[in-house]
Amino acid sequence: KQEVTQIPAALSVPEGENLVLNCSFTDSAIYNLQWFRQDPGKGLTSLLLIQSSQREQTSGRLNASLDKSSGRSTLYIAASQPGDSATYLCAVRPLGGGYQKVTFGTGTKLQVIP
Amino acid sequence: DAGVIQSPRHEVTEMGQEVTLRCKPISGHNSLFWYRQTMMRGLELLIYFNNNVPIDDSGMPEDRFSAKMPNASFSTLKIQPSEPRDSAVYFCASSWGGSYNEQFFGPGTRLTVL
């Protein structure tokens, strides 16, 4: 059974700092991995999706990397801003034919202090 | 596009009452997912529909929960009778092309069962 862990559960940084969020998964047979952000009282917003054949994806100040062999993904946020404050979740989709259930991590709650 | 629409946004009810949550997926999407999010268990998939047909309902906690998708633009999740442990945020998400593609989440329904 796939297990997805995100450490730390919470993180507080001063504005302008570069930071890294971690996502670990136990089964490396994955199809893709997706990073989401969730604002309080809101649904999930997709940030980046990395296919298993890719090493990284970039969008603006965000860069997500994937190392399947070690079962790890990182989300790098450059020059953090107060608007980045949210909970960040990773989700892993396994390999296999037909339907495969996505497993979500428990999230990292980020606070960027002005 | 208005995105995934869920109603109501908040629901407070008493134990034993029937609760119906509603979801309108993004037009053109053929896959729909119901999730439940709690502090203890994180985000859990309850049921997944593809082309209005339930593909995976293994996440439905018990017979008190039921879901329907009578057409491509509407789905319901019903709890009868409701219990305090059902209190959670329930999210609906939709995608095109099955479970492998990017999911778009609705804002969620916060359910409180007293």
Side-chain angles (χ1 to χ4, degrees), chain B:
Chain B
D1 197 317
V4 177
I5 299 172
Q6 290 187 248
S7 65
R9 293 294 310 279
H10 302 274
E11 176 80 26
V12 180
T13 190
E14 293 186 344
M15 182 173 64
Q17 297 297 308
E18 176 180 297
V19 175
T20 299
L21 311 181
R22 297 172 177 79
C23 174
K24 177 179 169 54
I26 292 173
S27 177
H29 283 188
N30 65 343
S31 296
L32 185 139
F33 309 80
W34 281 102
Y35 290 91
R36 178 172 67 176
Q37 187 176 41
T38 62
M39 288 292 292
M40 290 295 294
R41 301 171 69 91
L43 200 62
E44 303 173 283
L45 178 69
L46 299 177
I47 188 167
Y48 158 55
F49 291 90
N50 186 245
N51 293 323
N52 311 338
V53 176
I55 302 300
D56 180 3
D57 64 356
S58 61
M60 297 286 264
E62 47 197 278
D63 292 345
R64 296 185 298 106
F65 286 68
S66 62
K68 294 182 179 180
M69 191 164 186
N71 57 63
S73 59
F74 183 66
S75 176
T76 60
L77 177 67
K78 184 177 294 185
I79 309 173
Q80 165 64 16
S82 58
E83 296 183 3
R85 59 194 169 112
D86 302 330
S87 297
V89 181
Y90 291 81
F91 289 104
C92 176
S94 70
S95 71
W96 165 249
S99 63
Y100 283 89
N101 294 332
E102 183 178 2
Q103 295 179 25
F104 294 83
F105 281 73
T109 295
R110 181 173 294 278
L111 173 66
T112 302
V113 183
L114 302 174

Side-chain angles (χ1 to χ4, degrees), chain A residues 7 10 14 21 40 42 52 78 80 84 111:
Chain A
I7 295 174
L21 306 180
K42 302 278 184 68
S52 62
S80 58
D84 296 330
Q111 182 182 24

